[in-house]
Amino acid sequence: MRLVVSAITIFVLSLLSATTHAHNITQILAKHPEFSTFNHYLTVTHLASEINRRRTITVCAVDNAAMNELLDKHFSTYTIKNVLSLHIFADYFGAKKLHQIPKSSTTTSSLFQATGEAAGTSGYVNITNSKGGKVYFSPVDSEDTPTSTFVKSINEIPYVIAVIQISHVLLSPEAEAPAGGPKDLNVTSLMAKQGCKAFSDLLISSGAADTFSQSLEGGLTVFCPTDETIDNFMPKYKNLTSDGKISLLLYHGVPVYQSLGMLRSSNGLMNTLATEGANKYDFTVQNDGEDVKLKTKIVTATIKGTLIDEDPLAVFKIDKILLPRELFKAAPPAPAPKSPKSAKSKAKSDDGEDADAPAPDGDSVPADETTDSNAAAGIHGGWFVKGIFSLFLGVFVCNI
């Protein structure tokens, strides 16, 4: 009996601890005002969301004075992002591990390297544990003598995330190189080259491409239906008015940059480029296991791949056209199967007797407009844990 109690206890604790390893770098640094500037730029450059979605990571924060030295160089936001990416390691380096580095030196990959922005090995950082107890950090391609040292540990979740302070900003020629801004990007050209030609052609022919381009500077996310999906939809597309066509195309764009990780962590209603006043033109982003789905009142599409994901532009391939309720009507619900009683009534009617009166139609709702699966999962999950807990108490009382 005690073995059963122990097994149930371990199971319940594992359920309760499943979310304990989630981390939020913005909240961690918010408790330390001396890192407010560094924290601010992690948010501005969207690096914060990238840190939050990763596991086994190290963030090397610098204080406000060190950040001011970086800002005095008047780098663009995109160059600052590259520089700060050097301060995020794709490995765990807590204070203890830093002082126990084998052979006193190691090289680790930074987010600057992991994202493919760095050329060659320039996104790697050397970490050296000197004889005097100091730990030095230096980008591989830096020509300067290492000056940035480990100061202290800020927050650690063992082997998940280590947030540490280093003395100086890590700089490298590659990271400091001027980075192209959004004005240098051609949205339709990029999409056409990355397998989104049919949708790109519609944007150009309708004139909607201008709105996409103008929105790019503030951040833009595009959901591009596959070329085959576009081809099959063309008869319906041609029946739309000119304004309807533009609204439909704008409905596939969101006026803010959202990586796939950001979409997963920000489920809910999302406005689009077509949203204006009473015309909501919104849809719901919802996780479904590992998939991310986009739900309108008419159809549910699934993100099938990433074509472009480089701030300020993200383009995702989806398997269906997003149909807004402002332009399309939902298909009527499928008729309910007849009950044995209905069949019997039909037989009586055939014999000349009065049949039962038909049941009134129910509310007309889109076939795929269902209860939010996340909310349902939360409710069922809550009852499941409560059930396990009740079982645990029952066994425990019986054991006494």
Side-chain angles (χ1 to χ4, degrees):
M1 186 64 69
R2 290 180 179 177
L3 182 61
V4 174
V5 172
S6 299
I8 294 175
T9 302
I10 292 172
F11 180 66
V12 172
L13 290 176
S14 67
L15 288 175
L16 296 177
S17 64
T19 59
T20 59
H21 285 170
H23 54 264
N24 187 305
I25 187 62
T26 305
Q27 294 178 3
I28 291 172
L29 292 176
K31 300 175 183 177
H32 306 273
E34 65 270 29
F35 302 110
S36 60
T37 305
F38 182 82
N39 197 14
H40 169 73
Y41 277 93
L42 287 183
T43 300
V44 169
T45 58
H46 303 295
L47 288 172
S49 59
E50 193 68 24
I51 293 169
N52 292 341
R53 79 175 182 86
R54 289 175 177 262
R55 297 296 178 266
T56 312
I57 196 165
T58 300
V59 180
C60 300
V62 294
D63 62 20
N64 295 339
M67 278 299 295
N68 287 337
E69 292 180 11
L70 174 64
L71 298 178
D72 285 343
K73 296 178 181 292
H74 302 291
F75 289 143
S76 69
T77 301
Y78 306 98
T79 298
I80 290 175
K81 178 182 179 180
N82 287 342
V83 172
L84 294 186
S85 294
L86 276 172
H87 296 68
I88 304 166
F89 303 156
D91 198 355
Y92 177 84
F93 287 96
K96 183 178 180 180
K97 184 177 179 179
L98 287 173
H99 290 289
Q100 295 178 347
I101 294 176
K103 298 182 180 180
S104 300
S105 181
T106 189
T107 300
T108 188
S109 173
S110 72
L111 199 57
F112 186 43
Q113 179 72 31
T115 55
E117 290 299 313
T121 60
S122 58
Y124 288 90
V125 177
N126 289 324
I127 305 175
T128 304
N129 182 22
S130 68
K131 292 182 179 179
K134 283 192 174 182
V135 179
Y136 290 90
F137 300 84
S138 177
V140 168
D141 66 334
S142 176
E143 299 175 354
D144 299 329
T145 302
T147 57
S148 187
T149 59
F150 171 74
V151 177
K152 66 180 181 181
S153 174
I154 300 172
N155 186 280
E156 294 183 18
I157 301 177
Y159 303 102
V160 176
I161 182 172
V163 184
I164 63 175
Q165 180 185 359
I166 60 176
S167 60
H168 295 80
V169 172
L170 301 176
L171 296 172
S172 80
E174 185 71 20
E176 294 177 74
K183 293 180 180 178
D184 302 323
L185 299 177
N186 184 312
V187 182
T188 52
S189 176
L190 282 173
M191 287 195 294
K193 292 177 181 177
Q194 296 295 328
C196 205
K197 188 175 187 307
F199 185 72
S200 176
D201 290 344
L202 289 180
L203 292 180
I204 295 172
S205 62
S206 67
D210 291 340
T211 303
F212 279 75
S213 297
Q214 292 165 9
S215 302
L216 186 56
E217 188 166 358
L220 178 65
T221 302
V222 182
F223 300 100
C224 168
T226 62
D227 288 355
E228 182 180 359
T229 302
I230 293 284
D231 291 342
N232 294 334
F233 181 73
M234 285 308 294
K236 292 182 180 179
Y237 178 79
K238 291 177 180 178
N239 287 333
L240 294 173
T241 64
S242 296
D243 288 343
K245 291 176 181 177
I246 292 177
S247 294
L248 175 66
L249 296 173
L250 294 181
Y251 189 57
H252 288 72
V254 175
V256 65
Y257 167 77
Q258 295 270 7
S259 67
L260 189 58
M262 295 165 73
L263 289 172
R264 283 198 176 103
S265 62
S266 58
N267 280 194
L269 281 177
M270 186 167 288
N271 289 333
T272 67
L273 292 175
T275 302
E276 184 178 4
N279 296 322
K280 292 185 177 181
Y281 280 101
D282 55 16
F283 56 75
T284 300
V285 178
Q286 183 173 302
N287 296 334
D288 183 8
E290 291 298 315
D291 292 331
V292 177
K293 294 187 178 293
L294 312 177
K295 301 184 67 175
T296 77
K297 297 295 183 183
I298 313 298
V299 70
T300 298
T302 302
I303 293 179
K304 290 298 185 181
T306 302
L307 301 183
I308 304 168
D309 186 3
E310 178 58 38
D311 188 10
L313 175 64
V315 181
F316 302 102
K317 184 171 286 188
I318 57 177
D319 62 352
K320 294 180 182 178
I321 305 284
L322 297 177
L323 304 178
R325 62 181 174 181
E326 287 82 359
L327 295 176
F328 298 90
K329 292 182 179 180
K338 293 183 178 180
S339 64
K341 181 178 179 181
S342 299
K344 185 177 180 181
S345 299
K346 177 68 167 58
K348 287 183 178 180
S349 178
D350 292 339
D351 292 336
E353 299 180 16
D354 291 336
D356 291 340
D361 292 336
D363 294 335
S364 178
V365 296
D368 63 347
E369 187 177 351
T370 58
T371 303
D372 189 301
S373 64
N374 284 345
I379 293 172
H380 294 314
W383 281 111
F384 178 69
V385 172
K386 289 179 180 177
I388 291 295
F389 187 70
S390 299
L391 177 60
F392 168 78
L393 285 179
V395 173
F396 181 77
V397 171
C398 290
N399 190 49
I400 294 176

